Amino acid sequence: MAGALVGPATLAVVLGLLVPLAILFRYSLNRFVPGRLMVDALTVENYVKFFTDPYYMAVLVRTLRVSAVCMVLCLVMGFPLAYALARTRSRWKSAVVMLVVLPLFVGNAVRAAGWMVMFGSRGLLNTLLGVVGLIDHPLQLMYTEAAVIVGITAVNLPFMVLTLESVVEGIDPAIEEAAASLGARPLQVFRRVILPLAMPGVLAGTILVFILGMNAYATPILLGGPRFQMMGPLVYGQFAGLNNWPFGAALSFVLMAATLSLSAVSNLLIQRRYRR
Amino acid sequence: MTAGRVALRVAAGLGLGFILLPLVLVSWLSFFRDEVVVFPPSGYTLRWFRAILDQRNFVDGFVTSLEVGVFAMLAGLALGVPASLTLARYRFAGRESLGLLLLTPLVVPGVVAGTAIYVFQVETEILTRLPLVASLPGLVLAHVVITIPWTVRLVTASLVGFDRAVEEAAQNLGAGPWTTFRRVTLPLIRPGVVAAALFGFVISFGNLEMTLFLIGPGRTTLPIAILQYLEWRIDPVIAAVSLLQILVIGAAMVVTDRYVKLARVL
């Protein structure tokens, strides 16, 4: 009985995703011969190619760097909002939570479009800077790493806010009041009381945001331009542009291995340090 | 109000503003009279919303996204609801790992899932000669993989505190399994099911990274039509399309929030 009810969903996930992933992994061990496309083989040369070619390593390093910067920005910008949301008793709270959540589902292309309006050569930021008199000629803001970082940070910020909000809600405000009544200044309360107690959420949120940054696709394409390569667009290019399945498959697995191992390590850390 | 509280409010407001700014800008642009991005605009107009209808890509993309979203949502419910009910109430070996398995699509990066499913569909096409890639069934099959975990998550969340005694009472009073489900279980889990339906639709409708690999000439979804247009240019037409997507998804989420608090399930 139970099997008949869970079976179809399980089958859908296994056939729909896990089997394809297994096949993809097998293909990552195949050989790519220009003109004949994929040739059966059992070789790790695609992985070797990735880790020895300076071009691909530069893409990986850039992806890691952008993700790390975005992660820090998300933490710094997300904490005040998460804290304010967790502590407020305003009747607008659920409306604000909704505003935080909505952009998540609108899609990254639409949000990148907003930043294109901001950063274009005749965009809002260049116009404002010109009006104020800070610049004579429009700055090149589009197609820069900074634009990509701003875009990815904005895309991932809601995840950080929601994760942090739920841990802060679990911290009894009485603890903060006790610290304050014992003479701690607000910043000390934050550093010595709130932050240590919120640490599991901070870890979970930063790792989540880092992973999402690594897998970004639309934002680097639209704000970074065709020459700005990150891992997501690189994978797509191997399939769509070059038809190099074995190498594209290997890239997918490098990306997924990085993603999964990071989340596994963070889960382990959180469980070991904060198990009650 | 102390200085610290003011500072906190300002910082929180900045965070919220940063999240919303791109959506606000794109909505603003959709009313510009000028054909290009220029500040300040020379005036405002609604004509770009009509201009969308001349762009077949957006109209077709919208229809495809709608079709895929509805079918993937229905299939996600048909598969996910019974699975979550079973997982929540029967104790059997491997129950927990089965529950995790159903959630795995949430942790696989969209680009990776897309490549894997693309390769799988191409190979299946070669074997069976059934057209899959860039077909409606092909897209639905792929999207079901991402609607199932959300259905399981939302329905499971709505089952917390569910008392099985009500079902047993119904059966003691002579109701068969189907009647029990329809008259007792379903009304009790309705909020979760409605939320799963809307959420599944939203997730499918907005999906970009995975779908990117599964479209082809003549069949794109709305988010991809938007992406492809933006790679070329930004103007009020694309902003109007974007605003429509924001409104569709926003409406679905406001309704969802009435049934299940969104902040609780993400």
Side-chain angles (χ1 to χ4, degrees):
Chain A
M1 177 68 180
L5 293 174
V6 194
T10 313
L11 200 67
V13 171
V14 170
L15 268 184
L17 187 64
L18 301 184
V19 169
L21 280 175
I23 294 175
L24 189 70
F25 180 67
R26 176 63 192 84
Y27 283 3
S28 77
L29 304 174
N30 279 346
R31 190 166 283 150
F32 177 73
V33 180
R36 288 175 57 204
L37 302 179
M38 191 168 68
V39 175
D40 271 334
L42 205 59
T43 163
V44 292
E45 66 186 26
N46 295 305
Y47 293 93
V48 172
K49 175 178 167 191
F50 177 78
F51 285 105
T52 51
D53 188 322
Y55 175 77
Y56 298 116
M57 286 319 280
V59 174
L60 181 64
V61 168
R62 183 182 301 124
T63 307
L64 291 170
R65 183 177 63 228
V66 167
S67 315
V69 174
C70 292
M71 174 183 90
V72 173
L73 287 176
C74 279
L75 186 58
V76 174
M77 300 184 72
F79 212 109
L81 179 54
Y83 184 84
L85 273 177
R87 288 289 183 253
T88 184
R89 289 195 206 93
S90 157
R91 62 202 175 92
W92 297 105
K93 180 180 169 173
S94 62
V96 175
V97 170
M98 198 67 150
L99 287 179
V100 171
V101 176
L102 169 70
L104 279 182
F105 298 102
V106 167
N108 298 343
V110 168
R111 287 189 284 174
W115 292 116
M116 291 165 88
V117 177
M118 187 76 174
F119 292 142
S121 60
R122 297 170 76 184
L124 187 58
L125 192 57
N126 267 321
T127 309
L128 286 178
L129 289 175
V131 168
V132 178
L134 280 174
I135 52 168
D136 297 329
H137 305 286
L139 300 175
Q140 177 65 39
L141 300 168
M142 280 295 288
Y143 306 139
T144 59
E145 185 163 318
V148 176
I149 287 174
V150 168
I152 296 181
T153 304
V155 163
N156 294 344
L157 193 53
F159 287 106
M160 183 65 102
V161 172
L162 294 172
T163 315
L164 288 176
E165 193 219 341
S166 67
V167 271
V168 174
E169 271 183 353
I171 301 173
D172 191 342
I175 304 176
E176 290 165 40
E177 285 156 23
S181 71
L182 290 169
R185 306 178 52 81
L187 270 184
Q188 279 179 307
V189 177
F190 172 74
R191 202 165 50 84
R192 307 279 293 272
V193 179
I194 304 172
L195 197 56
L197 285 172
M199 214 51 198
V202 170
L203 275 177
T206 47
I207 294 290
L208 175 63
V209 165
F210 189 80
I211 288 170
L212 290 167
M214 297 238 340
N215 292 302
Y217 178 82
T219 317
I221 288 271
L222 293 176
L223 300 179
R227 307 253 290 281
F228 186 89
Q229 279 288 10
M230 282 177 61
M231 287 297 284
L234 191 65
V235 171
Y236 180 70
Q238 291 299 323
F239 280 90
L242 304 169
N243 255 313
N244 188 343
W245 283 17
F247 190 58
L251 287 178
S252 287
F253 273 90
V254 171
L255 187 57
M256 194 162 79
T259 304
L260 292 185
S261 56
L262 272 172
S263 44
V265 167
S266 76
N267 279 337
L268 214 67
L269 269 178
I270 295 171
Q271 278 187 359
R272 190 173 296 170
R273 281 191 60 183
Y274 300 100
R275 178 172 280 167
R276 297 266 161 90
Chain B
M1 213 193 293
T2 63
R5 290 216 157 273
V6 175
L8 175 68
R9 287 219 165 174
V10 170
L14 283 178
L16 185 62
F18 193 66
I19 291 174
L20 293 177
L21 182 63
L23 298 191
V24 172
L25 286 177
V26 99
S27 310
W28 187 17
L29 177 64
S30 66
F31 300 109
F32 278 25
R33 198 164 64 198
D34 316 76
E35 275 183 45
V36 289
V37 180
V38 55
F39 287 96
S42 64
Y44 294 98
T45 174
L46 288 172
R47 73 182 159 115
W48 306 118
F49 291 91
R50 180 170 303 158
I52 297 173
L53 294 176
D54 301 330
Q55 304 261 356
R56 286 234 56 86
N57 254 357
F58 293 135
V59 179
D60 295 347
F62 181 78
V63 172
T64 305
S65 284
L66 217 55
E67 286 172 338
V68 174
V70 168
F71 285 127
M73 174 260 278
L74 290 175
L77 287 181
L79 297 169
V81 173
S84 15
L85 283 173
T86 315
L87 288 172
R89 56 183 51 183
Y90 295 103
R91 306 270 162 252
F92 53 90
R95 185 178 71 98
E96 284 198 355
S97 17
L98 211 54
L100 281 178
L101 181 101
L102 292 181
L103 295 179
T104 42
L106 296 178
V107 299
V108 177
V111 173
V112 178
T115 51
I117 294 173
Y118 169 71
V119 165
F120 187 66
Q121 291 196 349
V122 170
E123 296 292 9
T124 314
E125 218 174 84
I126 292 169
L127 273 178
T128 60
R129 294 171 182 278
L130 294 170
L132 259 183
V133 178
S135 72
L136 191 60
L139 279 169
V140 172
L141 283 173
H143 278 224
V144 171
V145 172
I146 49 172
T147 57
I148 287 177
W150 284 104
T151 307
V152 169
R153 207 182 237 198
L154 287 161
V155 174
T156 310
S158 74
L159 280 169
V160 174
F162 185 91
D163 190 353
R164 281 206 68 193
V166 236
E167 288 178 337
E168 281 156 18
Q171 297 196 320
N172 283 342
L173 293 169
W178 175 240
T179 313
T180 313
F181 176 75
R182 205 166 48 82
R183 303 284 295 274
V184 178
T185 319
L186 195 56
L188 283 169
I189 61 166
R190 180 168 293 143
V193 174
V194 173
L198 289 159
F199 219 69
F201 174 76
V202 166
I203 290 288
S204 161
F205 191 88
N207 184 280
L208 198 154
E209 281 84 357
M210 181 186 86
T211 315
L212 202 59
F213 295 86
L214 306 171
I215 52 133
R219 195 182 300 276
T220 34
T221 64
L222 185 58
I224 290 170
I226 293 178
L227 177 82
Q228 287 171 343
Y229 192 92
L230 283 171
E231 283 187 67
W232 180 53
R233 64 182 300 197
I234 170 125
D235 60 18
V237 176
I238 191 71
V241 177
S242 302
L243 182 56
L244 289 184
Q245 174 161 345
I246 295 171
L247 292 178
V248 168
I249 290 181
M253 292 193 38
V254 170
V255 180
T256 315
D257 199 59
R258 299 184 79 92
Y259 292 94
V260 170
K261 283 288 157 219
L262 286 173
R264 292 275 158 272
V265 295
L266 286 171

